[in-house]
Amino acid sequence: MDVEVVGRVLSTLPQDDDHPYRTGPWRPQTTEWRAEDLQVVEGEIPADLDGVYLRNTENPVHPALERYHPFDGDGMVHVVGFRDGKAFYRNRFVRTDGLLAEREAGGPLWAGIAERPAGSPRQDGWGARGRMKDASSTDVVVHAGVALTSFYQCGDLYRLDPLTLETLGKAEWGGAFPHDLGVSAHTKVDPHTGELLFFNYGTTEPYMHYGVVGADDRLSHYVEVPLPGPRLPHDMAFTENYAILNDCPMFWEPELLARGRYAARFHPELPTRLAVVPRRGGPRPIQWFEADPTYVLHWVNAYEEGDEIVLDGFFQGDPEPKDTGEGGAYQRMFRFLALDRMQTRLHRWRLNLVTGRCEEERLTDSITEFGVLNNAYGGRRYRYAYAATGLEGWFLFDGLVRHDLLTGQEERFGLPAGVYGSEPAMAPRTGSTAEDDGYLVTLTTDMNEDRSECLIFDAARVADGPLARLRLPERVSSGTHATWAAGDSIPGWRDAESPAHALRL
């Protein structure tokens, strides 16, 4: 393995930091690496695995003003690329406006998600609340050959070279990007049309917008989606002809919001509302459906079946877990992010466009989240969902599960104690013809050996364990979302003689 340090970002975090979400599996990194021909610890890299796995991470550089929330951490993207049976690795901070400003100031400038807005040294900010640093540390997708990172609450989309991870600036969409409201954490790329679908939300009417960006990277559609008040939607889904948005009854408490406090509360007396929006329509053609009250952090997929739209996501049995008073302030705060406390289970909603009725069913009793699929089946009928399992508080994934949505069967792989995974991505085999003909890729954080690895699984045989384990240069921090981009979707991928040359260093 040929390893080189290519950059470091100066951190002002205390040397003896004891914060529960900046230590252990969440220990941040400050070194940026370039590694070619990664060491194979076990197995063999499949020769027909061709493309890049990209994963975003919350990676704080400075301490919080008062109370650190993991979503405040600065964005760092990791890439593991595969070609011709070899692999390379690189990681880079996303050079956001906030990161650059705080680097110049030598410390924090904005209040975080769990802090008082009035406490910000600077009141200019990005995001739906207009006073937060846009860390661009939540999700990553690839659209029009460029990687785009996004923020937990609405912000800009930062453009990255998917091979070098060089920050290329912000998405502009032909000068039409809605910088005043930004874009939600989760955008969706339709592989069949090359379009990117998105929504945003804010604290003033109409509270939500929906839009479409064409394969030419220009905004082609943008409409209002009226809501009864400020909401906190996180994700969306789409089908061949529709986008599905949501109005879940977990949102900022209106009375507190009027006083400048952003405290989310669950309102079980209200239904979950699901909006079916024609891909190029709205706001009048929007059809709303009412469902059981819950909060859905992540959807898996949706597709059309006769008069119905079938929508799959993770139903929270307890969106606002009871505060038991145990474990200290941070553990109580992050009960909202513990999969076992929230009781997240794979769920299906059937939305009948003719009758206006919504029928629901639980698809599994297992507690899982962060579901992914073969992206070629996005918005189309599909059979397999792959998800993370985790019972140890805030997004510590202890294994993978393959859900067969036709038979109801599950196939699992559990990581050893003290080893945690990342959101997996499904990488179709080159020339694949079946939905599950490909690989699952994930990164691990091994607290026992103080190291990280990239694991590659046969997507059809997850329980058999990894086909290959690759050593990374440094133990990486626990993170959130990841994606897969096939090599032929990346400009210049095949022009280079090798993956190392493809890095364009």
Side-chain angles (χ1 to χ4, degrees):
M1 180 169 59
D2 180 11
V3 180
E4 177 186 2
V5 174
V6 295
R8 284 193 173 93
V9 172
L10 181 64
S11 171
T12 61
L13 293 171
Q15 293 293 320
D16 57 347
D17 196 353
D18 61 354
H19 192 287
Y21 292 97
R22 291 197 304 254
T23 56
W26 299 276
R27 184 188 69 189
Q29 296 167 262
T30 58
T31 301
E32 298 175 322
W33 299 89
R34 177 191 60 80
E36 301 175 12
D37 199 9
L38 291 181
Q39 176 189 354
V40 180
V41 178
E42 179 183 305
E44 185 175 341
I45 300 174
D48 53 3
L49 178 58
D50 189 87
V52 295
Y53 171 87
L54 294 154
R55 191 259 244 177
N56 207 343
T57 312
E58 296 92 353
N59 203 91
V61 174
H62 303 292
L65 295 171
E66 298 175 356
R67 182 182 297 118
Y68 175 69
H69 188 289
F71 293 169
D72 300 332
D74 297 286
M76 173 184 277
V77 177
H78 306 260
V79 59
V80 182
F82 305 92
R83 212 181 84 185
D84 301 328
K86 294 185 178 181
F88 62 82
Y89 168 80
R90 194 163 183 174
N91 67 306
R92 289 290 182 277
F93 278 99
V94 183
R95 264 61 177 183
T96 64
D97 291 347
L99 176 68
L100 297 179
E102 290 186 334
R103 185 170 67 177
E104 182 177 353
L109 294 174
W110 288 273
I113 289 175
E115 296 175 321
R116 298 175 297 110
S120 292
R122 285 179 55 168
Q123 292 295 319
D124 58 320
W126 300 274
R129 297 185 284 190
R131 51 84 183 173
M132 293 165 51
K133 179 179 66 174
D134 176 358
S136 206
S137 56
T138 304
D139 199 6
V140 57
V141 300
V142 175
H143 177 246
V146 174
L148 301 172
T149 58
S150 54
F151 185 48
Y152 165 65
Q153 293 182 7
C154 299
D156 288 311
L157 295 181
Y158 280 85
R159 305 173 69 249
L160 278 65
D161 184 304
L163 300 179
T164 69
L165 300 184
E166 175 188 1
T167 302
L168 305 175
K170 303 176 187 176
E172 293 296 340
W173 298 343
F177 189 93
H179 290 291
D180 56 334
L181 290 174
V183 169
S184 68
H186 294 296
T187 60
K188 300 295 180 180
V189 177
D190 185 340
H192 302 277
T193 66
E195 293 174 323
L196 180 139
L197 313 180
F198 72 94
F199 69 95
N200 57 30
Y201 57 94
T203 57
T204 58
E205 292 186 273
Y207 304 114
M208 183 188 282
H209 294 79
Y210 156 73
V212 180
V213 180
D216 61 355
D217 199 35
R218 300 181 73 86
L219 183 68
S220 58
H221 185 63
Y222 190 62
V223 296
E224 298 178 355
V225 181
L227 293 174
R231 295 295 190 262
L232 279 172
H234 187 68
D235 196 6
M236 65 175 290
F238 69 93
T239 69
E240 186 174 355
N241 296 294
Y242 300 96
I244 297 92
L245 306 174
N246 65 87
D247 172 11
C248 291
M250 170 80 115
F251 49 82
W252 293 311
E253 193 68 33
E255 293 182 3
L256 296 178
L257 188 62
R259 301 201 301 268
R261 293 182 57 192
Y262 295 83
R265 296 288 183 269
F266 181 54
H267 298 265
E269 72 280 5
L270 298 177
T272 295
R273 299 199 312 145
L274 303 170
V276 176
V277 187
R279 289 267 288 251
R280 298 294 180 128
R284 289 185 179 179
I286 295 176
Q287 188 171 354
W288 287 95
F289 294 81
E290 292 192 353
D292 290 342
T294 188
Y295 188 77
V296 178
L297 193 62
H298 298 121
W299 307 100
V300 179
N301 196 25
Y303 59 91
E304 297 166 33
E305 186 176 80
D307 294 332
E308 293 184 330
I309 288 178
V310 179
L311 173 65
D312 294 342
F314 293 95
F315 186 103
Q316 294 184 7
D318 190 0
E320 191 173 15
K322 182 180 179 181
D323 182 359
T324 63
E326 300 176 354
Y330 283 104
Q331 282 71 17
R332 294 197 299 273
M333 182 191 310
F334 296 115
R335 71 188 189 276
F336 292 97
L337 300 174
L339 304 187
D340 57 330
R341 298 288 301 277
M342 295 185 298
Q343 296 290 298
T344 57
R345 293 181 171 90
L346 194 56
H347 196 79
R348 173 164 288 176
W349 294 259
R350 286 185 172 272
L351 313 178
N352 192 300
L353 300 177
V354 175
T355 67
R357 290 179 55 84
C358 173
E359 295 184 356
E360 304 179 52
E361 63 175 311
R362 179 183 290 183
L363 296 180
T364 176
D365 288 329
S366 302
I367 295 177
T368 62
E369 239 281 8
F370 286 77
V372 300
L373 72 158
N374 181 335
N375 285 334
Y377 291 78
R380 306 302 196 269
R381 184 192 296 271
Y382 75 119
R383 177 173 177 175
Y384 302 107
Y386 306 90
T389 60
L391 298 174
E392 296 193 41
W394 183 74
F395 295 168
L396 285 181
F397 306 141
D398 58 13
L400 301 172
V401 59
R402 175 185 190 255
H403 296 287
D404 185 331
L405 303 180
L406 179 62
T407 67
Q409 294 181 336
E410 295 179 355
E411 189 174 323
R412 292 174 170 267
F413 176 81
L415 293 164
V419 180
Y420 307 104
S422 305
E423 180 180 60
M426 198 283 182
R429 190 191 313 268
T430 300
S432 64
T433 58
E435 182 182 343
D436 62 348
D437 185 13
Y439 306 97
L440 280 189
V441 183
T442 190
L443 303 185
T444 61
T445 299
D446 187 336
M447 299 301 300
N448 305 317
E449 303 293 336
D450 189 28
R451 68 187 184 194
S452 280
E453 295 178 339
C454 175
L455 306 186
I456 305 168
F457 296 80
D458 184 332
R461 303 177 64 87
V462 173
D464 289 353
L467 298 170
R469 295 168 41 221
L470 318 178
R471 182 70 54 82
L472 302 186
E474 182 184 9
R475 194 183 89 204
V476 305
S477 172
S478 175
T480 48
H481 293 286
T483 194
W484 171 261
D488 60 12
S489 70
I490 301 172
W493 176 257
R494 277 292 163 188
D495 295 341
E497 297 177 359
S498 70
H501 292 154
L503 283 173
R504 301 195 285 270
L505 294 173

